[in-house]
Amino acid sequence: MATAVLQARMSSSRLPGKVLKPLLGQPMILRQIERLRRCRRLERIVVATSAAPSDDILAKTLSEAGVEVARGPLDDVLGRFLKVIEVLDLTGDMVRLTADCPLADPDVIDACIAFRREGDLDYASNGQVRTYPRGLDVEVFTVEALRRAAAEATSDYDREHVTPWLYRTEAPFRRGDLVQAPDRSEFRWTVDLPGDFAFVERVYAALYPGNPVFTSADILALPFARRESDV
């Protein structure tokens, strides 16, 4: 099985506090976790947030909801992931997710985990060669690979974005790209901007009351399924 590490913070520059914005009566991050719990290949879900006071309310909300939380550096997110490994004594596969994707697809996450294992890869992703909607992003890598990245990566960019050192061409890792056909990369389902959140609210209002386990196919069938060109 694998451990999902969902990185989250309250201090987003473009939409502060978005992870706790209410989505059909629940914080957006809890709606995303609700979807992640449908993954068949995830054994554990941990939210990695910062130790900054600005994230106290996030940690409290998650703990009260029974979600496992680990806290570490605010800007050194790679260091935060390493602390999760050490504090929780993780082994095996880690699945990196971000808390701005409340339409995350459990089947895609399971497929990426299986893809890494079947190919005996150190790192697998559906975001480097994009054929999935933005907002269904998933990265799967071994704990051993991330430990090496944490030891080798020194730039601020690498430390903030966690995984760039893993997929650079000069890095000594076996990498693979999960792709699909048809190509759906023109769709945008992540939440970075107010308009993104408004779209997600419409999706949940349209689908969740009648079908809480709605799929990506259900979203695509909506007449307002959002594209990058709509931003």
Side-chain angles (χ1 to χ4, degrees), residues 17-182:
K18 63 184 178 183
V19 295
L20 291 185
K21 287 179 71 67
L23 187 56
L24 283 192
Q26 288 286 336
M28 185 178 81
I29 191 170
L30 292 185
R31 289 298 184 199
Q32 181 171 350
I33 291 170
E34 180 182 350
R35 294 179 68 80
L36 299 183
R37 284 175 171 158
R38 301 200 330 252
C39 292
R40 299 179 303 278
R41 293 179 177 268
L42 284 182
E43 183 178 39
R44 194 174 189 179
I45 300 169
V46 180
V47 175
T49 191
S50 87
S54 59
D55 286 319
D56 287 350
I57 183 61
L58 173 59
K60 181 175 184 291
T61 300
L62 292 166
S63 295
E64 289 177 348
V67 178
E68 193 168 12
V69 180
R71 305 183 71 173
L74 177 60
D75 297 319
D76 180 7
V77 189
L78 177 52
R80 195 191 310 172
F81 270 62
L82 186 64
K83 186 167 184 178
V84 170
I85 292 172
E86 294 172 344
V87 170
L88 302 181
D89 194 26
L90 297 185
T91 58
D93 284 347
M94 292 185 74
V95 181
R96 177 181 177 242
L97 303 165
T98 56
D100 51 7
C101 300
L103 300 178
D105 189 322
D107 290 337
V108 174
I109 294 169
D110 283 338
C112 200
I113 295 169
F115 177 70
R116 189 213 70 77
R117 292 177 179 170
E118 291 165 5
D120 192 25
L121 304 170
D122 298 302
Y123 173 88
S125 171
N126 68 345
Q128 301 305 311
V129 177
R130 184 173 295 282
T131 58
Y132 288 87
R134 189 174 299 278
L136 301 191
D137 299 39
V138 54
E139 296 175 290
V140 184
F141 41 84
T142 64
V143 166
E144 292 77 12
L146 195 73
R147 284 186 185 278
R148 181 162 183 182
E152 299 286 344
T154 57
S155 75
D156 290 345
Y157 181 87
D158 285 347
R159 305 298 300 189
E160 179 182 356
H161 296 282
V162 183
T163 56
W165 198 85
L166 291 173
Y167 53 77
R168 286 187 177 146
T169 55
E170 66 270 24
F173 296 116
R174 298 182 300 277
R175 300 175 296 275
D177 299 297
L178 179 69
V179 297
Q180 69 169 358

